[in-house]
């Protein structure tokens, strides 16, 4: 047990006499710059057409691969005996396979970077609670 | 009355910040920067990191200002962000913020002069001792001491800021206070012995 005797009031006074730490003089300026940068980024509007094009670029190859790329979803087993068949039009765009693979790879990389970015921001950023 | 006027002024400032008023935001920073920085410094242990944490916390507060609905005090909401930002930064730096073994502190033998010696010390000397004694505590003890005694936050507010249980806050505060006095006592004892 401590022999040192200080009441709560005395300890509070003692610590308050110490005062608070002061940050550097550029503290406010740096925050305001960051806030202005945030406002600037928020004010940039992505055109709707660009969003639609981006969405199509991201989604169409996935649909294409699943429908025409030979991916077996097991639907044929599930639909067995029901006399249903998925139409598979024979499309030939006369595109070199090299470009198709390159496109698929690019889309894959973009998808992975989006998922990875989401994971990182979820891990790093404690979501701000309502106050 | 004064307190009421102050809180009304703060409500006005926050309303302006919600509208994107940078001058109002600057006033908000001025009002809370010292405490936010002090809190960050207790956790980060160096000024550069503490400044970055406090700045990030202010920017987060600005970008999420619409989530502040006035259910709690603005300061409590802001210090919660500071605390969480500091913890995230610490995790990134892989610093160990585990409690030091309390046994090691409490089992150390000491013989000291009684409390009245303390009151004889000059202010500058006392300040140095307090800083040294506080520096001996673990980060979380420093945080709870700072919030309760320096910023006069209530136990409920400390719970909100740190996300600890009320019983945990009470125990930690009691233990931190005891450790702080022990550290002060040890420092004073060493000083008295060195004079002999």
């Amino acid at each position: 047990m401590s022999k040192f005797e200080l009441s709560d009031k005395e300890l509070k006074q003692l610590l308050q006499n110490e005062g608070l730490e002061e940050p550097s003089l550029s503290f406010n300026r740096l925050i305001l710059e960051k806030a202005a940068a945030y406002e600037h980024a928020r004010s940039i509007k992505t055109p709707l057409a660009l969003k639609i094009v981006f969405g199509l670029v991201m989604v169409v190859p996935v649909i294409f691969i699943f429908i025409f790329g030979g991916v077996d979803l097991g639907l044929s087993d599930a639909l067995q005996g029901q006399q249903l068949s998925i139409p598979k039009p024979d499309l030939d765009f006369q595109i070199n396979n090299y470009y198709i693979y390159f496109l698929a790879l690019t889309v894959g990389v973009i998808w992975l970077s989006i998922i990875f970015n989401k994971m990182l921001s979820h891990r790093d950023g404690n979501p701000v609670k309502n106050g | 009355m004064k307190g009421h006027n102050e809180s009304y002024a703060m409500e006005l400032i926050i309303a302006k910040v919600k509208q994107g008023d940078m001058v109002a935001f600057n006033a908000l920073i001025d009002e809370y920067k010292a405490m936010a920085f002090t809190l960050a410094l207790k956790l980060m242990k160096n000024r550069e990191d503490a400044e970055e944490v406090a700045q990030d916390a202010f920017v987060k507060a600005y970008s999420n200002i619409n989530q502040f609905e006035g259910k709690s005090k603005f300061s409590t909401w802001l210090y919660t962000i500071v605390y969480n930002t500091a913890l995230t930064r610490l995790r990134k730096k892989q610093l160990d913020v585990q409690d030091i073994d309390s046994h090691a502190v409490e089992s150390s033998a000491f013989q000291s002069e009684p409390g009245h010696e303390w009151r004889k010390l000059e202010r500058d000397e006392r300040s140095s001792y307090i800083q040294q004694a506080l520096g001996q505590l673990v980060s979380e003890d420093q945080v709870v001491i700072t919030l309760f005694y320096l910023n006069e936050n209530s136990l409920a507010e400390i719970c909100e800021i740190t996300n600890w249980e009320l019983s945990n806050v009470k125990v930690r505060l009691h233990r931190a206070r005891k450790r702080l006095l022990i550290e002060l006592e040890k420092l004073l004892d060493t000083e008295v012995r060195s004079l002999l």
Side-chain angles (χ1 to χ4, degrees), chain A residues 1-8 10-12 14-24 26-28 30-32 34-36 38-39 124-126 128-131, chain B residues 25-26 29-30 33-35 37-38 41 47 51 54-56 58-59 62-64 67 69-71 77 81 88 118-119 123 127 130-131 145 149-150 152 177 185 188:
Chain A
M1 186 68 195
S2 172
K3 292 177 187 174
F4 208 75
E5 288 169 19
L6 277 179
S7 68
D8 254 14
E10 285 174 317
L11 185 56
K12 188 178 281 185
L14 209 59
L15 287 163
Q16 286 181 346
N17 285 343
E18 286 293 292
L20 297 167
E21 299 282 346
E22 285 292 336
S24 67
S26 59
F27 187 80
N28 286 33
L30 290 170
I31 294 172
L32 291 173
K34 285 181 188 177
Y38 166 79
E39 280 294 340
D124 291 345
N126 294 62
V128 175
K129 293 176 189 167
N130 288 4
Chain B
F25 184 48
N26 194 30
I29 298 169
D30 275 335
K33 69 178 176 186
M35 188 58 205
F37 177 64
T38 304
L41 190 57
R47 298 186 72 87
E51 279 215 10
Q55 284 168 1
D56 285 353
F58 272 108
V59 176
Y62 178 79
S63 55
N64 293 282
Q67 280 179 246
E69 297 159 354
K71 288 178 194 160
W77 184 68
I81 299 173
T88 305
W118 172 256
R119 291 172 181 84
R123 193 180 181 284
S127 179
I130 292 166
Q131 291 300 339
I145 289 273
Y149 289 110
L150 198 58
E152 299 190 56
R177 186 186 189 286
E185 198 171 358
L188 197 63

Side-chain angles (χ1 to χ4, degrees), chain A residues 6 8 23 53 85 87 92 98 110 119 128:
Chain A
L6 277 179
D8 254 14
V53 169
S85 61
D92 185 3
Y98 173 80
I110 294 170
M119 280 168 60
V128 175

